Amino acid sequence: MRRALITGITGQDGAYLSSFLLDKGYEVHGIMRRASTFNTDRIDHLYRDPHESGARLFLHYGDLQDGSSLRRILQKSQPDEVYNLGAQSHVKVSFELSEYSADVVGTGVLRLLEAVRDFTGSSGKQVRVYQAGSSEMFGAAKPPQNETTPFYPRSPYAVAKVAGYWYCVNYREAYNMFVTNGILFNHESPLRGETFVTRKITRGLGRIKKGLQKKLFLGNLDARRDWGFAGDYVEAMWMMLQHQEPGDFVVATGEAYSVRDFLDAAGEKMGLDWKQYVEIDPRYMRPTEVDYLMGDPAKARNTFGWKPKVTFRELVGMMVEHDLELAEQERTLMKAGHSVALRGVANG
Ligand code: NAP
Ligand code: GDD
């Protein structure tokens, strides 16, 4: 049985990737952070008590800021493949938590690579590493962006991702390690964190539609992004590690839409004129914005045959349906006298 280790298993991509790898017959190990509240909602449905026979998903406490935890977990889990998805992944928040973001998103990659290098040395096991790079690394570079486009990062998060990218290239060249950088453009789903713009919109409009909220406050509606479906993108991560050679690969749909376009599509699907409810709040603007990301995924398509399956409209539809249902559940709870959480969008 092949074994995979995933950092960031409790995040959106971690949940989709775990499910994908379990379906492929893998034993999956995940690194989770200790938190004072439960943070495993996205993977609870995949988890079985390890005392039960047949359990194939195992969780370990660890942190990308703690190299010794990474080393210990590598020894325990003996992985064939390591997927580094862990990150403080919110661009706007990285302006507020800049040193922390640099440490987790940039230096965290170095800690993991060092731990894998030593693990390989002591165990003799060849490990394949996937690094979650980002289209944010292209930042202000002109679209369409591909593997040869020079990076021009525009936030502490993006600068740290560029550092992580180069650590990976360096370890590949210096130690002949199998380390691959995925350069993924934005990918969304009903499991997307609620402070990223797509989910903030489907959550907010859903709650407005059900009478739970009056306004939705957003920032720059003109930014354009290449939005795909997270379920399609985790398949690309896996395909990259099955390819005979490590490398750097852009994963994108090749189409871009503005935040305004997303609002139009979501509003139409809900039967709601969003213009009546959306207001601009400058606190959601970024000190340096990334205006236009649109990827060219030709290399991934030609090298290992990856292409996206879910269209932009299908993605919006899937998120809208999910969040209308969620708002309906909240309304039912409210009617029964339960207090409904004010969604934490302070920094979204
Ligand atoms: P996400 O939902 O924000 O999940 C991030 C994960 O990282 C969570 O499991 C989080 O744990 C964990 N994490 C945070 N700090 C950590 C630390 N110090 N040590 C270990 N784990 C830590 O992000 P995502 O959307 O799944 O994205 C996955 C990866 O792809 C990230 O590296 C992100 O930067 C990158 N990426 C994402 C996109 C996208 O559009 N989604 C595009 C390009 C690249 P908690 O649950 O405890 O917070
Ligand atoms: N979050 C947020 N909240 N974004 C807003 C808002 C708002 O209220 N209003 C407008 N936007 C704009 C942002 O300014 C940005 O231009 C765009 O919507 C997308 O913002 P996010 O959804 O926060 O995503 P992101 O593109 O900054 O970053 C995501 O994608 C990257 C890949 O390109 C994250 O998932 C990163 O981790 C990932 O690397």
Side-chain angles (χ1 to χ4, degrees):
M1 193 188 295
R2 289 186 73 73
R3 278 190 293 269
L5 174 63
I6 304 175
T7 74
I9 194 166
T10 55
Q12 169 190 253
D13 291 5
Y16 279 101
L17 181 63
S18 307
S19 172
F20 178 86
L21 293 175
L22 288 168
D23 284 348
K24 288 235 169 276
Y26 278 67
E27 180 175 295
V28 175
H29 293 258
I31 297 184
M32 59 180 277
R33 299 191 294 170
R34 193 269 159 184
S36 67
T37 50
F38 289 114
N39 58 358
T40 55
D41 286 14
R42 292 185 177 106
I43 50 169
D44 283 345
H45 63 292
L46 302 172
Y47 190 74
R48 279 168 60 181
D49 189 317
H51 303 99
E52 285 177 30
S53 66
R56 282 192 289 117
L57 173 62
F58 302 93
L59 298 175
H60 309 265
Y61 281 118
D63 200 298
L64 284 162
Q65 293 191 296
D66 182 334
S68 48
S69 70
L70 302 176
R71 286 165 191 277
R72 219 165 21 240
I73 295 166
L74 280 164
Q75 286 296 341
K76 254 196 203 162
S77 58
Q78 299 278 315
D80 304 288
E81 296 169 12
V82 174
Y83 295 85
N84 184 33
L85 310 184
Q88 187 303 93
S89 73
H90 201 286
V91 173
K92 174 77 196 313
V93 172
S94 80
F95 287 98
E96 282 149 47
L97 292 174
S98 52
E99 293 175 35
Y100 168 76
S101 301
D103 191 60
V104 175
V105 176
T107 310
V109 180
L110 183 62
R111 287 190 192 100
L112 185 65
L113 290 171
E114 277 291 287
V116 171
R117 177 160 83 99
D118 290 349
F119 171 67
T120 303
S122 62
S123 66
K125 211 173 151 108
Q126 287 310 310
V127 183
R128 296 185 169 203
V129 179
Y130 170 83
Q131 162 59 15
S134 164
S135 51
E136 276 290 304
M137 300 189 299
F138 296 124
K142 268 178 118 173
Q145 295 98 356
N146 68 18
E147 294 80 1
T148 63
T149 306
F151 297 138
Y152 188 159
R154 299 266 286 172
S155 64
Y157 165 82
V159 173
K161 280 287 181 193
V162 172
Y165 170 95
W166 283 112
Y167 287 135
C168 290
V169 173
N170 182 236
Y171 273 58
R172 194 157 73 206
E173 293 173 353
Y175 307 115
N176 204 20
M177 285 167 63
F178 192 112
V179 186
T180 279
N181 284 298
I183 307 178
L184 272 53
F185 283 63
N186 298 50
H187 44 281
E188 320 294 312
S189 74
L191 296 185
R192 185 59 145 153
E194 294 185 22
T195 60
F196 297 97
V197 77
T198 54
R199 189 80 201 286
K200 189 171 164 184
I201 290 171
T202 57
R203 230 12 214 124
L205 294 186
R207 296 184 95 238
I208 288 167
K209 178 85 183 173
K210 299 286 176 183
L212 298 169
Q213 183 174 321
K214 290 196 168 59
K215 293 276 174 204
L216 174 60
F217 293 96
L218 295 173
N220 175 17
L221 305 189
D222 297 318
R224 281 182 281 183
R225 290 289 182 276
D226 180 329
W227 279 299
F229 171 53
D232 289 345
Y233 285 41
V234 300
E235 184 180 22
M237 295 176 189
W238 175 78
M239 287 171 121
M240 281 180 223
L241 291 200
Q242 311 318 303
H243 188 58
Q244 60 271 29
E245 304 267 317
D248 309 314
F249 297 96
V250 159
V251 176
T253 69
E255 289 177 12
Y257 296 88
S258 66
V259 174
R260 207 179 291 279
D261 293 334
F262 195 98
L263 280 161
D264 283 339
E268 189 185 310
K269 182 90 190 156
M270 279 190 201
L272 201 75
D273 176 12
W274 62 266
K275 293 191 183 81
Q276 291 182 29
Y277 306 99
V278 169
E279 283 185 20
I280 304 303
D281 182 339
R283 81 175 153 153
Y284 298 121
M285 304 284 186
R286 289 146 192 213
T288 37
E289 174 64 295
V290 169
D291 295 316
Y292 192 175
L293 294 175
M294 184 177 68
D296 168 9
K299 184 178 172 190
R301 190 175 55 238
N302 298 334
T303 312
F304 46 83
W306 179 84
K307 50 180 194 293
K309 300 182 185 98
V310 175
T311 65
F312 174 73
R313 293 215 159 257
E314 287 166 346
L315 174 66
V316 176
M318 163 192 321
M319 293 176 73
V320 163
E321 257 174 51
H322 178 274
D323 284 340
L324 276 174
E325 172 62 32
L326 202 56
E328 182 56 39
Q329 287 170 16
E330 279 181 280
R331 191 162 71 164
T332 308
L333 281 173
M334 259 180 90
K335 278 190 188 152
H338 293 273
S339 63
V340 169
L342 191 67
R343 307 312 303 178
V345 291
N347 288 306

